[in-house]
Amino acid sequence: MASRRLLCLVALCTIGNALLAPTVHRCSLTNCRAKSGGFGATTNKAPSKKTKAKAFTKKQAQLEADRIEKAPARCPCHPGLEYQKCCAPCHAKTTTAATPEALLRSRYAAFSLELPSYLAATTHPLHDDFDKDTVAWVQRLAKGLDASYFEGLRVLAQESLGENEHEITFEADVRPKDSPEGAGVTLHERSRFMREDGVWFYREGLDVSSKKR
Ligand SMILES: [Zn+2]
């Protein structure tokens, strides 16, 4: 359901992400010694790219776990369903989506709850947005997700294209947080899903359009 259109929309309103802010280093005795070069200190090297990526992944995992735990009682994908019994198990990675519709719903809910790691993990490697550098991809996704309200999802039609391929047509109501009240849009998309080794992935968005509401 992460149509490129939808991704573009949420990316429009980029708000500074605290996760990407420079780390504040407290002045420890070791640091001070290293800076002064005294006490036979080793060189005070800047953290490597790998170290930074590891730190981001750990921090992001904790952030998303907190969001799952503190999510509203009602699932963002359907007001009649309890989140903890609906999309939470997928988000917490205790299970995978049993059907393409469950995957669509869980991805919509992940947009709403700002869970970029889940969106990346459920995107098929053949999707145009797929990036092997998961850390960089999740960082990009995280920047735009807090820019919109996700106000409703409606599954309009679906069709099996075989055991491992499926299409769903849906509408999603989205409203940028900085837009005047009521100035939301309805996104319309036909999504294709593919199953690999028993796991469903979002493959691509087809017939993507949007209209003001
Ligand atoms: Zn749900």
Side-chain angles (χ1 to χ4, degrees), residues 151-201:
E151 299 180 321
L153 172 69
R154 294 176 295 282
V155 172
L156 304 177
Q158 49 185 309
E159 181 185 3
S160 170
L161 304 177
E163 196 182 343
N164 297 315
E165 219 169 323
H166 200 88
E167 280 187 6
I168 300 179
T169 303
F170 68 91
E171 283 183 343
D173 294 331
V174 178
R175 183 159 54 93
K177 290 180 181 176
D178 63 353
S179 77
E181 197 174 338
V185 294
T186 295
L187 304 166
H188 186 280
E189 180 179 322
R190 180 163 56 90
S191 289
R192 182 165 293 170
F193 299 85
M194 286 180 80
R195 185 157 54 180
E196 305 287 350
D197 297 327
V199 179
W200 285 103
F201 292 88

Side-chain angles (χ1 to χ4, degrees), residues 14 37 52 56 80 183-184 195 212:
T14 302
K52 282 184 188 172
F56 171 81
R195 185 157 54 180
K212 286 184 183 174

